[in-house]
Amino acid sequence: MTSHQDTPTARTRLARNLRRWRLARGLSQDELSAGADLSQTFLSQIENGSRNVSLDNIEKLANVLQIDVTALLAP
C-alpha cells in the first residue's frame, strides 16, 4: 500500500508535466511564457514547484501546449 507521503502533490505533478510537455513541444521557457502571457520567471517557478498557480494560468499554459488542461495534472 502506498502512503499519502509517497503521492506527489498537485503542484509537483504540474511542475513535472508542464516541463515534460514543454520540452516535447520543443518550446523554451521564454516561448511558452510569452505565448501564455506570463513572465519567464513565473514559469520557471511553476516548473520547479515553488510557485502556486491559478487554474486560469494552468489553462493558458495548456492552450499554448495544445493539450487538455487535465494532462498537466495527470499522475
Side-chain angles (χ1 to χ4, degrees):
M1 182 175 228
T2 305
S3 75
H4 179 65
Q5 292 175 322
D6 294 337
T7 305
T9 64
R11 189 183 297 189
T12 302
R13 288 193 314 265
L14 174 64
R16 179 190 64 223
N17 290 334
L18 180 59
R19 184 171 195 278
R20 183 174 54 87
W21 278 105
R22 178 178 61 76
L23 294 174
R25 295 289 192 255
L27 297 172
S28 68
Q29 284 186 344
D30 285 332
E31 292 167 326
L32 178 56
S33 63
D37 197 27
L38 302 170
S39 76
Q40 187 276 327
T41 300
F42 184 62
L43 178 61
S44 177
Q45 292 169 337
I46 296 168
E47 283 194 2
N48 71 33
S50 67
R51 189 69 184 254
N52 200 5
V53 59
S54 72
L55 287 173
D56 291 341
N57 286 334
I58 294 171
E59 187 173 42
K60 285 180 183 181
L61 293 164
N63 288 339
V64 174
L65 293 167
Q66 299 179 324
I67 58 173
D68 189 85
V69 69
T70 59
L72 291 175
L73 296 173

